[in-house]
C-alpha cells in the first residue's frame, strides 16, 4: 500500500485429531461436535493409541481400565454376570445394569473391535438417557475409523503360547486428490481358552469411503459424504468363569444336623 507494508497478526488452524490419550471433541451429549470441556456429562474417551498401548481389543479388555465400569467373563472384574451367548452385554456401569452399545451413536448388538475403532466413548449414568439412546447405566459408543485424505498402511500380528493368534490390516488410499478416499480393514482372530473346549473365532471386513465436493468460489465449506460398511462372523464357545456349585451338601447337612453349616 501507499502507507507501506502492513503486518498481519499470525494465526494457526488446528484440527481435532486426538493426540495420544487425549481427545478434544465429542458427539456425546449434544449430537454435534462439541469441545469436551463444554459437555456437562460424565464421560470417558479412550483413543486408538490407548487401546493399542493397553492391548485392549474389545469391550472385555477395555472396561477393566474404565472408571466405574465392570465387565464379566473369564478375564473380567465382576462375578455372577455370565451371558455366554452375548459376552459384550456382561457389563455394569456405576453398579447398575449393562450399558447400551452403539456404533457411531446407532444402537447395535455387534461387539466392537479395535481393528476398525478410532475411539471409544463411555457416557456414564442418567445423562446418557438425556441423549436419547442410553439406559440408566450409560452408553458405550464405538467410533469407526473414517477414510482420510492420505495414504497409510498398517499390519498387526499377535500370538501367544496358548494357541491364540490375531491378524489385522488397515489400508487407506487417497484415490482422487482432495476428493475421494477409500479405507479397507480386516481381522482374523482365534482365541484358544485354557478351559477346553472353549474357543472364539472372529472374522471381519470393514470398508469405508469419503467423497468431498468443493463449492468453488462460494463462501461455504466443502460437502463430505462418508459411507461405512462392516461384515463378519463370530463363532465361539465361551468359557464358564463360574465353577460348579454344590447345593446337595447344604440339603443333606440340613436334613442330618438341622443346620446348613
Amino acid at each position: 500500500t501507499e502507507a507501506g507494508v502492513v503486518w498481519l497478526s499470525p494465526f494457526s488452524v488446528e484440527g481435532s485429531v486426538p493426540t495420544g490419550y487425549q481427545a478434544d471433541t465429542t458427539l456425546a451429549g449434544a449430537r454435534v461436535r462439541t469441545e469436551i470441556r463444554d459437555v456437562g456429562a460424565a464421560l470417558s474417551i479412550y483413543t486408538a493409541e490407548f487401546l493399542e498401548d493397553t492391548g485392549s481389543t474389545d469391550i472385555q479388555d477395555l472396561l477393566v481400565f474404565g472408571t466405574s465400569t465392570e465387565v464379566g467373563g473369564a478375564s473380567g472384574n465382576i462375578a455372577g454376570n455370565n451371558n455366554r451367548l452375548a459376552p459384550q452385554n456382561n457389563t455394569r456401569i456405576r453398579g447398575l445394569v449393562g450399558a447400551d452399545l452403539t456404533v457411531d451413536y446407532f444402537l447395535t448388538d455387534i461387539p466392537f473391535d479395535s481393528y476398525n475403532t478410532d475411539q471409544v466413548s463411555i457416557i456414564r449414568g442418567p445423562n446418557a438417557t438425556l441423549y436419547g439412546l442410553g439406559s440408566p447405566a450409560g452408553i458405550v459408543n464405538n467410533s469407526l475409523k473414517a477414510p482420510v485424505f492420505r495414504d497409510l498402511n498398517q499390519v498387526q500380528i499377535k500370538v501367544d503360547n496358548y494357541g491364540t493368534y490375531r491378524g489385522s490390516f488397515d489400508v487407506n488410499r487417497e484415490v482422487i486428490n482432495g476428493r475421494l478416499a477409500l479405507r479397507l480393514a480386516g481381522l482374523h482372530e482365534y482365541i484358544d481358552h485354557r478351559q477346553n473346549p472353549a474357543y472364539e473365532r472372529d472374522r471381519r471386513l470393514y470398508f469405508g469411503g469419503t467423497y468431498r465436493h468443493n463449492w468453488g468460489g462460494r463462501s461455504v465449506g466443502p460437502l463430505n459424504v462418508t459411507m461405512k460398511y462392516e461384515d463378519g462372523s463370530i463363532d465361539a464357545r465361551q468359557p464358564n468363569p463360574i465353577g460348579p456349585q454344590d447345593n446337595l451338601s447344604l440339603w443333606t447337612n440340613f436334613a442330618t444336623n438341622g443346620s446348613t453349616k
Side-chain angles (χ1 to χ4, degrees):
T1 64
E2 296 180 356
V5 178
V6 177
W7 294 93
L8 300 177
S9 300
F11 67 94
S12 61
V13 178
E14 299 180 356
S16 59
V17 179
T19 302
Y21 295 171
Q22 181 179 357
D24 299 324
T25 61
T26 180
L27 297 177
R31 292 185 181 267
V32 295
R33 187 181 297 274
T34 308
E35 294 286 337
I36 294 179
R37 61 189 179 187
D38 297 330
V39 177
L43 61 91
S44 300
I45 299 179
Y46 303 93
T47 62
E49 186 171 341
F50 179 88
L51 298 178
E52 182 176 356
D53 289 350
T54 58
S56 302
T57 59
D58 54 25
I59 192 171
Q60 288 87 355
D61 295 334
L62 177 61
L63 290 194
V64 296
F65 297 101
T67 302
S68 299
T69 60
E70 297 169 296
V71 62
S75 58
N77 55 359
I78 177 177
N81 202 356
N82 188 32
N83 185 351
R84 287 186 286 170
L85 293 179
Q88 70 274 11
N89 295 328
N90 290 340
T91 63
R92 192 166 68 181
I93 309 294
R94 283 185 169 178
L96 299 176
V97 295
D100 287 340
L101 302 181
T102 61
V103 175
D104 287 336
Y105 296 101
F106 289 94
L107 285 172
T108 182
D109 290 326
I110 302 174
F112 76 83
D113 192 277
S114 61
Y115 88 101
N116 67 341
T117 296
D118 183 47
Q119 66 181 26
V120 178
S121 301
I122 300 178
I123 305 96
R124 303 185 301 274
N127 280 328
T129 62
L130 300 179
Y131 183 84
L133 293 176
S135 70
I139 292 174
V140 178
N141 178 71
N142 171 30
S143 298
L144 299 177
K145 292 180 178 178
V148 294
F149 290 94
R150 66 178 185 275
D151 294 346
L152 62 86
N153 305 284
Q154 185 180 46
V155 176
Q156 291 185 340
I157 298 176
K158 296 181 180 181
V159 296
D160 69 11
N161 57 333
Y162 295 112
T164 295
Y165 60 87
R166 173 186 173 91
S168 62
F169 70 90
D170 183 13
V171 178
N172 189 93
R173 286 293 181 270
E174 186 177 15
V175 180
I176 302 177
N177 187 23
R179 299 193 66 181
L180 179 63
L182 301 177
R183 192 161 193 166
L184 181 67
L187 167 71
H188 184 94
E189 180 181 42
Y190 179 82
I191 301 176
D192 190 5
H193 296 280
R194 297 184 64 181
Q195 184 185 102
N196 292 325
Y199 72 94
E200 180 176 345
R201 181 179 290 106
D202 192 354
R203 291 168 290 187
R204 307 192 194 193
L205 189 64
Y206 167 73
F207 174 77
T210 295
Y211 175 75
R212 174 178 294 173
H213 178 73
N214 295 313
W215 299 96
R218 299 184 181 181
S219 58
V220 293
L223 172 66
N224 290 335
V225 179
T226 300
M227 180 272 295
K228 301 175 183 178
Y229 174 80
E230 183 179 17
D231 187 24
S233 64
I234 299 177
D235 180 24
R237 183 181 287 114
Q238 297 292 338
N240 187 1
I242 302 176
Q245 297 181 357
D246 180 16
N247 294 323
L248 180 61
S249 297
L250 296 176
W251 182 78
T252 57
N253 288 337
F254 184 81
T256 304
N257 305 321
S259 174
T260 58
K261 297 182 179 180

